Structure formats: structure tokens, C-alpha cells
Amino acid sequence: MHSISYERARDVAHAIELGSMSGSKFIGGGTNLLDLYKSGVERPTRLVDVSRIALNAIEPLPDGGVRIGAMASNTAAANHPLVRGPYRVLSEAILNGASAQLRNMATVGGNLLQRTRCYYFTDPAFKQCNKREPGSGCAAIDGFNRIHAILGASPACIATHPSDMAVALVALDASVRLAGPGGERSVPVADFHRLPEDQPQFDTVIAPGELITAVDLPPAPFAARSHYLKVRDRASYAFALVSVAAALDLQDGVVCDLRLVLGGVAHKPWRAVEAEAALRGRALDEDGLTRAAAAAVAGARPFQHNAFKVELAQRAVLRALRTAGGLA
């Protein structure tokens, strides 16, 4: 039998002390970790409960931005007045994720730490998985890879990142605040998740013992004119086949700046910088939108069962940009 201990952290310093011990895992809402523990994918020897730490405030920042505490529930973050209006794309993304029951339990910090999505990773019956057992191979490459990556994959892993919220946070230039044995630091959400490369066992750049304390949203001129589009197999409670977070700063019909980020296509939220460049500084017209959609999937390398994602992503980009720009 696999033995496990449970301890409740009093505050951030206590959580870091407990979380730095070998075999420890932080648990907040538990909506992802417990599933993986029950299936045997995660094998912690100590659960450090951080759910009672006072990290659930959602408050304005002096620079005009907003700070969302890591223990705020997904429901609270999506519906808070400081988020729902000024950062529409984030509210839409969170409300497109999971179910109402899960959003009530899941935390903002935990949402960012969801493990990447792949049947062959979450089911230990499949022995080949470099994410679970480095060096064992990747069963998905020659398997049923309909949900897998078309961008940024490696010969070691083709899993996709599951968070809707993270896709919107990248579009908003948000940062993750971390506290750990080495002190505090801030990491852009765009750099928080990793591409698989030759170490797919690491999903993020978080260090051992580090705890997410908050997410900071900066004031962004493109935040108000934004939209999150999620394409999935059923209307609710399903991961994205493809998703798009689009945010535009328009002045007299000209795109001054924009953010375009795709979900469901890579091991991390995929910022489409070439597509942004195709639209920046020009009128928001159909020619520009078509160029941007094509640029968003430039370099895509689909596998046997997911070639449909290339065209699906282009169509989703077109629709998201039209909606954000008021053309839909």
C-alpha cells in the first residue's frame, strides 16, 4: 500500500517549509491532483493543504491592474467585477472550462498547474510515456492522437496543455507570483509553461517548494475589446480541441496592437506572434484576417489523426478576431 501523510499549512511560510520536503505536493481544490493520484500517475508521500491560507483576495493594483489571489476559486475570479468587465477574455475563458461544480472547487493557482492532456499519460496501463517515465517513449505519436499537439511538439511528447484560463492570461500579459525557499519572484504566464523538448516530465518552470501566491493582470489597452472562443466535441465539460484568445487595441479601425493566443494545439498556450505581426498597424479587414489566420498555424506539424486541427484553428482565429473586432 502507498502511504501518504496530510498536513494543513498555517500560512505561506509554513507551506513553503512543508512543501520543500521530499515527496510533498500542495493541494488546494484538488480537482486535478486527486484524479491523478487515484489513477497512480501522481505518487506524493505528503499532501500539504494550502486551501486555508488567506490568498483568495481579488483586488486592484496601484498601476490600474488587478491581483487575483492563488486560492480564489475559478468561479469567483470569472464573476468578479474587476475581471468580468475590464478583462472579458479571462472571464469567458474560465467560464468555458470544466463544470460549475469544478469551477467552484478549483483554484486559480491550481488551474495553472494542471498536468498536460494525453490519454497515454493519464492511463498508466500504457507503459510508453516520457512524461510519466522519462526514456520510456511516447505511445501517442503512433497512437490515437486526435487531441494532440500540432505546434511545438517534440519526438519525446505531443501532449497538449488543458487550461482555458492560462490561454487568456497569456493574451493579457499576466504574471504569476511565486514564493519559495529562495524568496519571491514573478514570471510572465507566457514563460511559466514549457514546451516538451527532451524533458516533457516538467510542465512548468516552477521550482521545488515554490507556491503560487497570485496572478497579476496589468492594465492592457487591448483587454476590453477581447474574446475567447473554445471549440470542443460537446457543448460543456470538455477540453478544447482548439481555442483562441483574441484581444485588440483598435484606433479608427486600425489595429494598434493585439494579442492572439491558441489553446489545445501545443504543450503550452501558443502565442501566435507571426499572426499578430500580420495584423499590427493595418486595417482590420478580411484580407488581413485571412493572412493572420494562415500565419497562426505556420509551421504546424499534424499527426495521423489530428490534421483537421490545422483548418479548425484557422477558422477559429478568424471567428475570434471578427468577434473581438466587432465584425461578427
Side-chain angles (χ1 to χ4, degrees), residues 8-322:
R8 180 176 294 166
R10 297 185 299 272
D11 51 31
V12 171
H14 190 213
I16 293 170
E17 176 189 343
L18 295 173
S20 299
M21 298 177 185
S22 178
S24 295
K25 283 279 186 180
F26 295 125
I27 183 167
T31 56
N32 186 232
L33 176 61
L34 291 183
D35 278 349
L36 295 175
Y37 176 71
K38 287 186 286 187
S39 66
V41 174
E42 293 280 6
R43 304 289 284 174
T45 55
R46 176 184 292 103
L47 288 181
V48 180
D49 186 346
V50 295
S51 65
R52 307 297 175 89
I53 301 177
L55 290 174
N56 58 354
I58 300 174
E59 54 195 358
L61 292 170
D63 65 356
V66 173
R67 175 165 295 163
I68 305 174
M71 291 310 304
S73 72
N74 286 194
T75 298
N79 293 314
H80 197 282
L82 290 175
V83 174
R84 189 160 191 144
Y87 299 97
R88 173 182 171 178
V89 67
L90 177 58
S91 179
E92 290 178 343
I94 295 173
L95 293 175
N96 269 284
S99 64
Q101 292 89 341
L102 286 169
R103 291 194 295 272
N104 289 340
M105 283 298 297
T107 65
V108 167
N111 191 306
L112 289 173
L113 292 175
Q114 291 178 81
R115 301 300 307 272
T116 47
R117 189 175 177 233
C118 173
Y119 316 123
Y120 303 95
F121 166 63
T122 55
D123 187 347
F126 296 101
K127 302 304 180 187
Q128 283 187 309
C129 177
N130 288 318
K131 187 173 286 293
R132 273 188 287 106
E133 298 291 340
S136 63
C138 176
I141 290 177
D142 294 319
F144 184 58
N145 40 44
R146 180 173 180 270
I147 66 170
H148 291 77
I150 58 172
L151 292 160
S154 79
C157 181
I158 62 172
T160 51
H161 181 73
S163 170
D164 295 293
M165 185 181 79
V167 177
L169 290 175
V170 172
L172 294 170
D173 292 343
S175 296
V176 185
R177 294 178 64 83
L178 300 165
E184 298 183 358
R185 63 181 178 130
S186 180
V187 179
V189 178
D191 299 329
F192 183 71
H193 299 97
R194 297 179 66 258
L195 290 178
E197 300 173 336
D198 60 352
Q199 292 186 308
Q201 67 270 33
F202 301 118
D203 294 334
T204 71
V205 299
I206 200 166
E210 280 192 318
L211 177 71
I212 298 176
T213 58
V215 171
D216 285 351
L217 305 174
F222 36 76
R225 194 187 297 271
S226 59
H227 180 57
Y228 185 77
L229 174 65
K230 181 174 182 177
V231 183
R232 48 191 164 181
D233 282 326
R234 58 176 183 266
S236 67
Y237 195 31
F239 292 98
L241 289 170
V242 170
S243 67
V244 180
L248 295 165
D249 178 15
L250 283 177
Q251 301 291 333
D252 299 324
V254 175
V255 180
C256 297
D257 201 1
L258 75 157
R259 293 291 183 274
L260 192 63
V261 185
L262 276 64
V265 297
H267 198 260
K268 60 182 289 184
W270 186 265
R271 184 172 169 188
V273 291
E274 293 87 358
E276 293 175 5
L279 270 182
R280 190 174 289 113
R282 61 170 296 160
L284 189 67
D285 55 22
E286 285 301 315
D287 181 59
L289 292 174
T290 302
R291 289 174 183 269
V297 293
R301 296 183 62 188
F303 293 85
Q304 181 180 1
H305 301 286
N306 68 357
F308 72 97
K309 279 192 173 187
V310 177
E311 183 175 353
L312 184 64
Q314 292 183 77
R315 293 188 179 197
V317 167
L318 279 171
R319 184 172 165 187
L321 285 170
R322 286 176 182 144

